[in-house]
Amino acid sequence: MPSPVPADLLAALQNAQTLLCVSHVNADGDAYGSLLGFTYLLRRLGKSVTPVMPDPLDPEFAFLPGAEEIVLPTALHSRFDLAVSLDLSSPDRMGSAAALIDGARLPLAVIDHHATNTHFGQFHWVDARCAATSQMIVALADALQVPLDRPLAEALLTGIVTDTLCFRTSNTTPAVLEAAMRLQQAGADLAQIVQRTLHRLPFRTLQLWALVLDNLQLREGVVWVTVSQQQLRTVGLQSADLRLSSVLSSVNEAVISAIFTEKQDQNGDPTVECSFRARPGYDVGKVAFQLGGGGHTPASGCTLAGTPDDVVARVLPLLFAASQPPPHTP
Ligand code: 5GP
Ligand code: MN
């Protein structure tokens, strides 16, 4: 079960009338699911809630009820009583929304399930035993005595399904299944959510796989690929959710997988987005945290300055160290 909602955070939510809620850059299903679920839930209590994302809406999640109401930080002009961050392990993941919340001196409540959460904000509810922040919002609905209904259930089951890769990750506990069961009973269509999120692949993404897998590498239990801007351009993609993590992390000979994607920061300087996965018993959460990123024991990431060659050379030794067999416990 999720840990109980802390009394101070619950009181802050109950006392606020106008709330701004925000999730993370490169939003995934749990970012959208928890943001929209939270928005819907608090509106059921008669509150004014504005959902904010630092990036434009990803068309993949446009099917979620209320997705069209999500606004960019630049579109915010009203005043709020409270800001709430969902599925965010550190404030930098808010993108440009962070400066806005800071500037308005808004009290911030943090609801998150990342083990690497840096405990920012005034009110915290961080539960790393939950497989998704959306799972925590089911518990929040219980605490606020709001019954689960279809729009709420659709959003929250989307978050649970995507963060657990459809109940396949090692953190899929009976409590996760119980939350999912209740969401399905409340009207969420599990098969449709899976079809709309995990079980789909743009043709161009598969073409990109063909290019990047040509340079697939395996050493010391680590399998990795690098994705260049040139390769993205060749297939006609600007940026990509590569969707390659599941494939790489299933390679028999590897316990850790990594994807390095060439990017640029706002100044046009080269950066590399790193995405890591580990088999049970191995920890990439620590590696990402060490590098200034974050995530979970089995799935984590960070963005580092430098060219792909520089960054790969810097990160690989840490991954090789993390891929050593765990010490034998008598
Ligand atoms: P993915 O590889 O799917 O992009 O991310 C896996 C996990 O790592 C997610 O839980 C995500 O929140 C976390 N993560 C990925 N990139 C970053 C990053 O740059 N900073 C932080 N703090 N977490 C990250
Ligand atoms: Mn999540």
Side-chain angles (χ1 to χ4, degrees):
M1 295 296 286
S3 58
V5 187
D8 61 345
L9 184 136
L10 196 62
L13 295 179
Q14 281 166 329
N15 292 335
Q17 270 315 311
T18 52
L19 297 96
L20 170 165
C21 58
V22 60
S23 194
H24 57 79
V25 290
N26 292 331
D28 54 15
D30 192 31
Y32 281 107
S34 59
L35 185 81
L36 292 173
F38 178 86
T39 300
Y40 187 85
L41 178 59
L42 273 285
R43 284 183 182 170
R44 286 284 302 273
L45 297 176
K47 300 184 186 292
S48 160
V49 188
T50 305
V52 179
M53 277 286 192
D55 301 315
L57 178 65
D58 179 343
E60 177 174 339
F61 296 104
F63 75 93
L64 286 171
E68 69 288 351
E69 289 183 51
I70 299 174
V71 298
L72 290 167
T74 44
L76 287 178
H77 303 294
S78 33
R79 294 171 57 87
F80 299 94
D81 299 335
L82 179 70
V84 180
S85 77
L86 296 146
D87 202 41
L88 267 154
S89 58
S90 52
D92 54 299
R93 299 272 290 158
M94 267 185 229
S96 56
L100 202 122
I101 292 170
D102 268 3
R105 297 182 186 279
L106 275 182
L108 176 65
V110 174
I111 302 179
D112 182 38
H113 74 125
H114 290 88
T116 57
N117 190 287
T118 57
H119 280 256
F120 57 106
Q122 282 71 50
F123 307 100
H124 310 108
W125 181 28
V126 177
D127 190 347
R129 288 168 312 163
C130 285
T133 301
S134 296
Q135 184 193 348
M136 299 174 73
I137 306 302
V138 177
L140 182 62
D142 293 342
L144 292 169
Q145 300 183 327
V146 174
L148 302 174
D149 62 5
R150 200 192 58 79
L152 181 56
E154 287 274 323
L156 299 182
L157 191 58
T158 297
I160 292 177
V161 162
T162 52
D163 258 23
T164 62
L165 303 175
C166 203
F167 312 110
R168 286 189 291 156
T169 53
S170 56
N171 56 4
T172 306
T173 59
V176 175
L177 295 177
E178 191 193 352
M181 180 192 72
R182 289 180 56 204
L183 295 169
Q184 197 179 26
Q185 284 169 337
D189 187 333
L190 175 61
Q192 197 178 63
I193 288 170
V194 175
Q195 284 298 326
R196 283 172 153 166
T197 56
L198 300 175
H199 198 70
R200 58 186 287 285
L201 200 59
F203 182 71
R204 284 178 177 177
T205 305
L206 209 58
Q207 288 181 306
L208 186 62
W209 288 16
L211 292 181
V212 304
L213 289 180
D214 203 32
N215 278 313
L216 182 67
Q217 315 253 9
L218 173 69
R219 229 171 86 199
E220 296 185 41
V222 180
V223 65
W224 75 94
V225 289
T226 305
V227 184
S228 68
Q229 284 298 315
Q230 179 59 49
Q231 288 168 326
L232 286 166
R233 275 194 298 272
T234 302
V235 300
L237 285 170
Q238 295 215 313
S239 67
D241 171 5
L242 200 57
R243 293 174 169 271
L244 202 48
S245 307
S246 298
V247 181
L248 288 197
S249 63
S250 61
V251 169
N252 282 346
E253 294 81 357
V255 294
I256 287 179
S257 63
I259 300 172
F260 299 97
T261 308
E262 185 185 16
K263 293 260 161 108
Q264 281 189 343
D265 66 14
Q266 302 101 311
N267 306 323
D269 292 326
T271 63
V272 177
E273 204 176 88
C274 312
S275 165
F276 308 128
R277 296 291 182 272
R279 286 198 185 275
Y282 297 85
D283 185 354
V284 285
K286 273 195 204 132
V287 175
F289 195 63
Q290 243 178 306
L291 293 166
H296 314 274
T297 305
S300 67
C302 58
T303 298
L304 301 177
T307 64
D309 284 350
D310 298 339
V311 169
V312 171
R314 183 174 156 208
V315 173
L316 278 181
L318 302 178
L319 295 179
F320 292 150
S323 71
Q324 296 309 303
H328 181 69
T329 39

